[in-house]
Amino acid sequence: MERVGSVLVVGGGVGGIQASLDLADSGFKVYLIDHRPSIGGGMAQLDKTFPTCDCSLCIESPKLVEASRHPNIDVLGYTELISVEGEAGNFIAKINKKSRYVDVDICNGCGACTAKCPVKGIPSEFDEGIGERRAIYIPFSQAVPNKATIDVEHCLVFTIGRNCKGCRKACTLDAIKLDMEDEEVDLRVGAVLFATGAVPYDPSDLTQYSPEHPDVLTAMQFERLMCANGPTGGHIKRLSDGEDPKRIAFIQCVGSRTPKKDIEYCSAVCCNYATKEAIITKEHSRDVDISIFYMDYRACGKGFEEFYKRGKEEYGINYIRSRASEVYQSNGNLVVKYEDLDEAQIKEEEFDMVILSVGLSQPKRTQDLLRKIGVNLNEFGMVETVMNHPVETNVPGIFVCGTAQGPKDIPETVAQSSGAAGKIGSLLSDARNTLTVKKELPPEKDVTGEEPRIGVFVCHCGINIGGVVDVPAVVEYVKTLPNVVYAADQPYTCSDDGNKQIFDKIHEFDLNRVVVAACTPRTHEPLFQATCAEAGLNPFLFEFANIREHCSWIHMDEKELATQKAKEVVRMSVAKARLLEPLERGEIPVNQKALVIGGGISGMSAALDLAAGGFPVCLVERSGELGGLLKHVTALPRGKDPRDILNETIKKVEENDLINVYLNSEVTSVSGSVGNFTAKILSHGKEDEIDFGVAILATGGDEFKPDGYYGYDGKRVITQLELEKIIDEIEANTIVMIQCVGSREEEPPRTYCSKICCTEAVKNAIRIKERNPKTEVFILYKDVRTYGINELLYRDARDKGVIFIRYTDEQKPVVNEYVEVYDEFIGQEIKIKPDLVVLSTPMVPNEDNDAVGKMFKVPLAPSNFFLEAHVKLRPVDFATDGVYLCGLAHGPKPIDECIAQASAAAGRASIPLSAGKVIAEAIVASVDEEKCVGCGVCEDKCAYLAVSIEDGKATVNRAMCKGCGTCVTACPTGAMEQLHFKNDQILAQVKHAFAW
Amino acid sequence: MEEEWIPKITLFCCNWCSYAGSDDAGVGRKQQPPTTRTIRVMCSGRTDPAFVLAALLEGSDAVLFTGCHIGDCHYISGNYKAKKKFEMLKEVVDELGLEDERLQLQWISASEGSEFAAYINKVTEEIEAIGPSPLRQEWMK
Ligand code: FES
């Protein structure tokens, strides 16, 4: 059957965007739809992200722009999916493009209409109802597409038929079309990916928490309150009276872990976002008191435990183990009533503000749609998947990623997105590059030796610039500058018409440099560069002058000085433009083979995915057999036998012709860079050399052997994995399990939470109980971290009579003949006589990581797990191109997450593999060998190891250089230059900065 | 001339954070005095001492180094290196007999438009208080 080389991605949050980019980059046409006016999803609303407190929009917004500009991604905002019919490889998806009543081809997002709309005070969805918008609006300033939308529920024309012309008059482009209609379209696609996301739980029915009170906010509302682009400009204040709060309470597990049917699960992210919001609040003002009322603190993820600790120790946040039952008003303040679980007492405390840490729930509309299409959902409305296929739904060809499949954080979402993109890539691999377009460009004009002939285009941007800056005066001034052969003003340079003008004038005046004075290069430079390229001019002969964000918008009352500044800003750009040189975006050919290190479930899954995409793989395993750590696990939560999955996987790997397995082997050296690596493999005493284009590090991990902890002897005191082996034979009356043995410690390397041990212990406790309900099982814990739907296992274990006793670091249990533990809740020392003690110890990284990391020049975290390129958005990439990671090599995680990451790593690796080439950075460092004395300062300064001294001269590896220019600044002889930011180019700007 | 004087401040911004923060100030219409001229570099690590000295000699009343917050540099550690350069330059500026305010370092994230505007307002006031750069006056002669 013929497969179609296009994909529909439903949902434009970070997951949908990442999947779209991955798919489009690997040769597929993508339709990315979102029912909201802009893509960006929940991440765009966040102020910061945990645990790094990175600015959320700053890291997401480049992806929005990239998606919107990608020639093979159609971003369709304000569009809904109606139905999907057909079969894997060939579906018809019916979508409805809802009418915005604004022609998106004309609207340029200037926002003039919004300012003139008389309907104010509509609660803004983007601000979670605590900010306002008008009836015609753009949800946020970085919206993509950046187009206005009329909300017919509020617009006076539609509601009361008034002939209001506010927006229509304000729009100088005539983009508002009140007679516009919805448009249904059939898309032919090979696969559909649901990245529909979850939404914050709506607490309005939990009246015990006074959710209607203006100072009781959901965490997402609080996020908007903290955010600089939120309704208060980032000023944290009470919405009731505008006062700065002095005492803030966070109540955890609101709308999760509740014995109400549809919200029994744990939402997995709330503990960490509460700590993040608390820390940021403290950073705004140190003297705010913050208390977090929680049941179990669940820091399940890389770096989260350390983050929690910072919250406690560095920021003095009070974490109160409790169950908050009520929030009520008293004398204008809020009182939180709670049961203190450490002291077993009911208490009350007053606060100025209360934040409800609400869980993630599945939007009803998405659930209905998914059911209609035939996708199985679980009892909570999440898409059901199986352990070894975490991104595949029951319908072949329909995939899922992100929180639609269950609560999870951003990196896990991103990993699943890349994983789903990888899987889709394999499914549709025959149809790769069949529907994608590539722009054909005319041959480039040779400008070497030519006198600069500069054309300058000054934009009015409606009234955005022209309303403040005297644009014609700027044009007149620019005409007097040397080498300027053409200068003109334009209403909107970015419009199609504006670009056409540039194109025409390049030909008419034989321009060899172009300057646009308008908005910011960060969003618009690629557009004008593309126009130059279409006119046969090297795109690096273009220069921007920012006279909007950096001038007209910030000097609105100083028109004369603003005009003067605009002249000087353009003058600086012209000065730089004079010295611009054409640059090559070189291509590096990619050897279409992969190396995977590690033959556990992660490495094998990655190898299989790569092979399914048609790429040969070398799989190197140090031990004598495939299977890794999973070999020792005898049951999975919810009953399945992992050995079935494992054996099936091993068989597939062994039978696959494209996978070459090296057992009892290790990699001893690596050279080269993305596209062209060479490695030596030591196998049975002899060395082999292999070439490959990309590598995946799936080095796995092991269970920590707790020698010296609680009398561990491997017989009466054993580990969970040792228990797995004997669990079906043990005869014991009493078993005690102790959690966090050797993890969450004070000092590195094991300061982390190992994420899976609580679930592992609870799972084994249930198995024991199911075999013999009479066996008494005690679990001694610090926090029960059965996150996500594993929460149900915890409940099940309690129902089956497993006894949970909390211990603290101050009073750890003592194991002798008896196990003694102090139970805070009943305030008593408890003595248990066990037949068996089981220690829950953490996953520890492979000891080879250090050596492997050095060979590939990739870093390790303090825990000795590998450190990815970006903890949020690049979970399976390294900063070094062409090298990826997955599974336990990245950090402790359960099997389904390992497999999702494996698919993600394979998917990411398939991008350069399928393209057969990578585009090299154009703005890189370059060396003047005449001047270079080989001192090596540059080599030391390069964070990417792209510079080395060879034969006494600095050499830049173009494939590795990212173009920051740091080495250039360090060079004492002036031998190093950063292309496009050369010393003389910047000095020219400096010189022309101020006209006297 | 003296009456018309307003500070002339050369501002180096890195592409990923402080330039974006300056854009964010614009998007938020955060008003600032028209005293700055921005030079965009990819990373604060590219801010060459030679550029700073040239700016001062060309008559800038102040030069500002800006970039991503420590830990946020798009190129891992360019801002650490910028900080070192800055400290070294501080001594040179001191030698030249210039006031401390004339060379400053500030980390600004892409979302800190308000902070950015507040900072430019503050620096402008500081420079207004100490007056034109003596180097500039020499140059004017
Ligand atoms: S990129 Fe901003 S300081 Fe390096």
Side-chain angles (χ1 to χ4, degrees):
Chain A
M1 189 208 53
E2 199 205 327
R3 295 181 191 266
V4 182
S6 63
V7 181
L8 171 66
V9 178
V10 188
V14 66
I17 295 173
Q18 184 61 52
S20 300
L21 289 170
D22 284 355
L23 284 164
D25 285 342
S26 42
F28 300 99
K29 162 88 196 169
V30 178
Y31 302 96
L32 171 60
I33 69 169
D34 198 301
H35 66 95
R36 291 161 289 200
S38 169
I39 56 171
M43 187 176 170
Q45 292 173 276
L46 301 181
D47 180 31
K48 302 267 161 63
T49 56
F50 60 78
T52 46
C53 291
D54 254 327
C55 156
S56 187
L57 197 53
C58 308
I59 56 176
E60 195 195 20
S61 139
K63 296 219 178 245
L64 303 188
V65 176
E66 199 183 335
S68 74
R69 197 169 287 134
H70 203 294
N72 292 313
I73 301 179
D74 265 4
V75 176
L76 302 167
Y78 218 47
T79 297
E80 286 174 333
L81 176 63
I82 299 173
S83 63
V84 177
E85 261 150 47
E87 54 180 345
N90 201 338
F91 291 105
I92 297 287
K94 192 183 277 305
I95 58 166
N96 179 29
K97 296 182 179 176
K98 292 185 283 178
S99 169
R100 293 177 190 257
Y101 301 96
V102 171
D103 188 333
V104 292
D105 294 332
I106 303 177
C107 172
N108 67 358
C110 75
C113 53
T114 302
K116 283 285 177 302
C117 175
V119 192
K120 299 178 188 167
I122 306 167
S124 150
E125 294 82 356
F126 185 74
D127 282 334
E128 292 288 316
I130 61 167
E132 296 174 353
R133 61 164 173 83
R134 310 272 175 112
I136 184 164
Y137 68 106
I138 298 173
F140 56 106
S141 58
Q142 292 87 342
V144 168
N146 187 17
K147 308 286 174 192
T149 301
I150 290 183
D151 164 8
V152 293
E153 312 249 303
H154 292 94
C155 170
L156 300 178
V157 176
F158 292 90
T159 50
I160 57 169
R162 188 195 301 167
N163 189 16
C164 169
K165 291 214 176 86
C167 56
R168 280 176 287 171
K169 272 206 201 122
C171 181
T172 49
L173 297 173
D174 220 1
I176 295 165
K177 304 276 186 258
L178 294 181
D179 55 356
M180 212 170 171
E181 280 174 11
D182 287 9
E183 187 191 344
E184 280 191 10
V185 181
D186 283 346
L187 301 175
R188 216 173 139 231
V189 293
V192 180
L193 171 60
F194 280 91
T196 38
V199 291
Y201 181 83
D202 174 3
S204 52
D205 57 339
L206 301 176
T207 48
Q208 68 269 34
Y209 295 129
S210 302
E212 72 298 334
H213 191 283
D215 299 326
V216 177
L217 300 181
T218 67
M220 193 56 136
Q221 289 174 322
F222 191 57
E223 200 81 44
R224 297 307 306 142
L225 196 67
M226 292 192 302
C227 192
N229 72 359
T232 58
H235 184 169
I236 298 175
K237 59 181 181 190
R238 306 213 309 176
L239 295 179
S240 59
D241 55 10
E243 291 291 314
D244 293 351
K246 288 273 164 282
R247 296 160 303 175
I248 302 179
F250 284 81
I251 300 182
Q252 298 306 108
C253 304
V254 175
S256 21
R257 301 186 66 187
T258 311
K260 196 178 126 187
K261 190 70 191 121
D262 56 340
I263 49 174
E264 268 173 305
Y265 56 89
C266 154
S267 283
V269 293
C270 326
C271 285
N272 304 298
Y273 76 53
T275 291
K276 171 196 72 181
E277 293 185 353
I279 286 180
I280 299 163
T281 307
K282 283 275 192 185
E283 281 175 353
H284 278 248
S285 161
R286 276 281 176 170
D287 38 70
V288 181
D289 268 336
I290 300 181
S291 298
I292 297 184
F293 294 91
Y294 74 104
M295 296 197 276
D296 295 281
Y297 192 93
R298 294 189 168 166
C300 308
K302 205 169 172 178
F304 298 176
E305 179 68 19
E306 293 83 349
F307 186 56
Y308 170 38
K309 215 170 148 206
R310 266 175 63 206
K312 263 195 291 203
E313 292 168 10
E314 273 175 48
Y315 291 90
I317 296 159
N318 312 317
Y319 289 88
I320 303 173
R321 221 170 63 84
S322 58
R323 210 162 292 165
S325 56
E326 198 181 341
V327 176
Y328 65 89
Q329 272 189 75
S330 143
N331 317 322
N333 266 329
L334 293 159
V335 178
V336 175
K337 186 170 173 186
Y338 64 98
E339 179 189 3
D340 187 317
L341 293 175
D342 289 333
E343 296 175 20
Q345 263 184 40
I346 304 289
K347 294 184 181 173
E348 296 197 338
E349 204 176 324
E350 244 183 74
F351 291 93
D352 303 325
M353 245 174 131
V354 172
I355 312 305
L356 305 179
S357 295
V358 293
L360 297 175
S361 59
Q362 300 299 320
K364 176 85 175 46
R365 31 172 291 135
T366 320
Q367 291 186 41
D368 293 344
L369 177 67
L370 284 162
R371 280 204 192 89
K372 200 173 98 184
I373 294 168
V375 173
N376 289 346
L377 306 182
N378 69 11
E379 59 202 298
F380 309 113
M382 305 160 188
V383 175
E384 207 160 61
T385 56
V386 295
M387 187 67 76
N388 50 336
H389 298 288
V391 297
E392 284 145 283
T393 72
N394 59 304
V395 183
I398 298 187
F399 298 79
V400 65
C401 66
T403 49
Q405 186 254 2
K408 55 180 64 69
D409 59 9
I410 294 169
E412 227 190 296
T413 295
V414 171
Q416 279 198 339
S417 308
S418 290
K423 287 280 184 198
I424 294 171
S426 305
L427 171 73
L428 304 178
S429 63
D430 300 344
R432 240 184 248 275
N433 298 320
T434 52
L435 295 175
T436 46
V437 294
K438 217 184 138 231
K439 272 206 177 141
E440 285 302 326
L441 292 175
E444 222 171 80
K445 173 174 145 172
D446 183 10
V447 303
T448 38
E450 277 184 17
E451 180 75 4
R453 297 177 58 79
I454 307 174
V456 183
F457 301 83
V458 187
C459 181
H460 283 267
C461 194
I463 56 162
N464 282 303
I465 296 171
V468 176
V469 169
D470 182 349
V471 172
V474 175
V475 172
E476 287 317 305
Y477 171 73
V478 170
K479 284 183 179 160
T480 68
L481 299 174
N483 302 107
V484 173
V485 296
Y486 177 81
D489 54 338
Q490 294 178 312
Y492 290 101
T493 307
C494 65
S495 63
D496 277 350
D497 193 52
N499 278 285
K500 194 171 169 300
Q501 289 267 332
I502 298 175
F503 181 92
D504 292 345
K505 298 300 167 192
I506 290 174
H507 292 297
E508 193 181 331
F509 289 85
D510 196 21
L511 303 177
N512 57 19
R513 305 285 189 286
V514 171
V515 173
V516 167
C519 49
T520 170
R522 297 187 73 256
T523 57
H524 282 65
E525 189 170 60
L527 174 71
F528 299 124
Q529 282 186 322
T531 304
C532 289
E534 280 159 26
L537 207 56
N538 182 284
F540 294 92
L541 298 173
F542 171 82
E543 184 64 22
F544 225 115
N546 184 337
I547 58 167
R548 189 177 76 173
E549 281 83 347
H550 293 189
C551 188
S552 66
W553 275 352
I554 54 169
H555 311 309
M556 296 175 104
D557 301 323
E558 294 175 278
K559 300 196 170 169
E560 235 164 82
L561 285 171
T563 303
Q564 176 63 24
K565 174 167 169 180
K567 288 178 185 171
E568 292 172 11
V569 170
V570 182
R571 196 171 91 124
M572 288 163 79
S573 296
V574 168
K576 181 173 176 184
R578 240 174 247 135
L579 301 168
L580 289 176
E581 294 166 354
L583 300 188
E584 284 287 335
R585 280 196 234 244
E587 276 180 5
I588 302 163
V590 171
N591 178 342
Q592 289 169 302
K593 279 188 278 182
L595 168 70
V596 175
I597 302 184
I601 188 73
S602 303
M604 287 192 293
S605 303
L608 283 169
D609 281 358
L610 287 167
F615 307 111
V617 183
C618 275
L619 178 62
V620 178
E621 165 59 38
R622 184 192 247 283
S623 76
E625 55 178 344
L626 295 171
L629 200 55
L630 192 55
K631 285 195 300 266
H632 308 296
V633 181
T634 52
L636 293 174
R638 292 170 286 277
K640 291 203 198 74
D641 191 335
R643 285 165 296 191
D644 296 345
I645 296 175
L646 194 63
N647 292 335
E648 186 193 316
T649 312
I650 293 174
K651 191 157 169 262
K652 279 193 202 152
V653 168
E654 286 171 346
E655 285 172 358
N656 196 308
D657 291 342
L658 286 172
I659 304 176
N660 194 351
V661 180
Y662 287 73
L663 295 175
N664 295 309
S665 306
E666 60 182 308
V667 176
T668 53
S669 76
V670 177
S671 63
S673 54
V674 58
N676 300 287
F677 288 105
T678 306
K680 290 211 172 79
I681 296 175
L682 185 64
S683 192
H684 303 279
K686 75 175 203 342
E687 218 165 48
D688 242 2
E689 201 173 85
I690 58 161
D691 307 326
F692 52 97
V694 297
I696 294 179
L697 310 186
T699 51
D702 209 341
E703 187 190 47
F704 176 62
K705 285 281 160 282
D707 289 319
Y709 289 79
Y710 299 111
Y712 168 70
D713 58 6
K715 295 187 197 89
R716 183 172 161 261
V717 183
I718 62 175
T719 66
Q720 289 287 355
L721 269 194
E722 288 162 351
L723 171 66
E724 292 267 349
K725 231 177 282 171
I726 55 163
I727 196 161
D728 289 328
E729 288 125 45
I730 37 171
E731 294 305 331
N733 293 324
T734 308
I735 297 175
V736 173
M737 297 183 179
I738 305 176
Q739 299 305 105
C740 301
V741 177
S743 58
R744 300 175 70 184
E745 295 196 328
E746 278 300 310
E747 295 299 324
R750 291 185 313 281
T751 51
Y752 56 89
C753 157
S754 186
K755 197 170 185 179
I756 56 174
C757 338
C758 282
T759 306
E760 171 77 4
V762 167
K763 173 200 79 181
N764 284 340
I766 293 174
R767 287 167 83 188
I768 293 165
K769 278 285 187 190
E770 280 175 347
R771 230 183 114 241
N772 183 359
K774 295 228 178 62
T775 310
E776 290 226 67
V777 184
F778 294 86
I779 298 184
L780 314 186
Y781 71 99
K782 298 207 294 192
D783 296 276
V784 180
R785 294 184 165 175
T786 44
Y787 66 99
I789 57 168
N790 292 329
E791 177 67 14
L792 305 187
L793 288 179
Y794 178 28
R795 182 173 300 268
D796 188 25
R798 277 178 299 172
D799 290 347
K800 289 201 161 68
V802 176
I803 298 164
F804 291 81
I805 301 172
R806 183 166 187 268
Y807 75 87
T808 61
D809 277 336
E810 293 72 48
Q811 284 180 297
K812 287 195 174 156
V814 179
V815 178
N816 287 310
E817 193 191 341
Y818 289 91
V819 172
E820 291 165 41
V821 60
Y822 181 78
D823 185 335
E824 276 182 338
F825 194 70
I826 54 171
Q828 255 184 36
E829 185 85 19
I830 294 182
K831 245 178 152 181
I832 311 162
K833 188 165 187 231
D835 307 305
L836 190 65
V837 176
V838 184
L839 306 181
S840 295
T841 62
M843 295 286 110
V844 287
N846 191 318
E847 285 165 7
D848 294 348
N849 281 4
D850 193 37
V852 174
K854 288 217 170 74
M855 285 188 278
F856 281 96
K857 299 173 184 154
V858 295
L860 299 186
S863 57
N864 292 328
F865 291 105
F866 284 109
L867 183 64
E868 60 274 33
H870 190 279
V871 293
K872 279 296 176 192
L873 296 185
R874 297 181 65 192
V876 301
D877 298 356
F878 281 109
T880 308
D881 289 335
V883 191
Y884 309 86
L885 75 164
C886 63
L888 299 183
H890 164 276
K893 60 181 61 64
I895 301 151
D896 53 340
E897 287 175 36
C898 286
I899 294 175
Q901 275 199 341
S903 295
R908 298 286 297 162
S910 303
I911 296 173
L913 288 177
S914 60
K917 63 183 183 205
V918 285
I919 305 287
E921 189 67 61
I923 300 175
V924 289
S926 86
V927 189
D928 179 343
E929 294 213 350
E930 300 273 288
K931 291 192 196 154
C932 177
V933 295
C935 69
V937 173
C938 48
E939 189 179 13
D940 289 349
K941 288 287 181 290
C942 182
Y944 298 95
L945 304 137
V947 192
S948 53
I949 303 295
E950 272 156 42
D951 299 332
K953 300 282 175 197
T955 321
V956 178
N957 181 335
R958 281 193 69 137
M960 289 161 83
C961 176
K962 306 274 181 203
C964 62
T966 303
C967 60
V968 183
T969 306
C971 177
T973 63
M976 275 278 182
E977 275 287 17
Q978 182 189 14
L979 303 180
H980 209 61
F981 290 89
K982 292 178 98 170
N983 288 325
D984 60 343
Q985 295 168 345
I986 297 177
L987 282 171
Q989 286 179 288
V990 169
K991 280 207 176 76
H992 289 83
F994 296 99
W996 312 101
Chain B
M1 179 76 201
E2 222 38 52
E3 284 145 30
E4 288 166 29
W5 176 78
I6 64 161
K8 299 186 187 303
I9 301 167
T10 304
L11 167 64
F12 289 94
C13 284
C14 82
N15 184 59
W16 304 98
C17 287
S18 54
Y19 193 93
S22 173
D23 281 351
D24 190 55
V27 171
R29 313 296 199 272
K30 304 274 162 24
Q31 299 303 296
Q32 302 155 43
T35 48
T36 53
R37 300 294 178 269
T38 303
I39 293 171
R40 180 171 67 112
V41 285
M42 294 311 283
C43 174
S44 67
R46 176 69 181 105
T47 318
D48 201 307
F51 307 156
V52 176
L53 294 176
L56 291 170
L57 292 171
E58 286 293 330
S60 285
D61 297 310
V63 177
L64 310 179
F65 261 63
T66 67
C68 312
H69 287 277
I70 292 293
D72 286 356
C73 172
H74 193 77
Y75 306 99
I76 305 172
S77 54
N79 49 6
Y80 283 99
K81 289 155 198 161
K83 188 158 181 261
K84 286 226 180 88
K85 294 261 146 49
F86 170 78
E87 278 154 11
M88 178 202 97
L89 273 168
K90 256 319 214 206
E91 284 170 30
V92 179
V93 167
D94 211 43
E95 289 286 302
L96 286 170
L98 296 177
E99 298 85 339
D100 245 16
E101 290 85 346
R102 300 207 189 272
L103 180 64
Q104 304 197 17
L105 174 102
Q106 180 75 24
W107 306 133
I108 291 158
S109 86
S111 62
E112 290 176 339
S114 311
E115 284 81 351
F116 179 88
Y119 176 64
I120 298 302
N121 278 293
K122 179 185 129 233
V123 175
T124 301
E125 277 168 30
E126 286 168 2
I127 303 302
E128 272 166 355
I130 58 174
S133 161
L135 288 187
R136 170 169 172 259
Q137 283 164 339
E138 246 160 65
W139 182 87
M140 294 293 290
K141 274 179 219 159

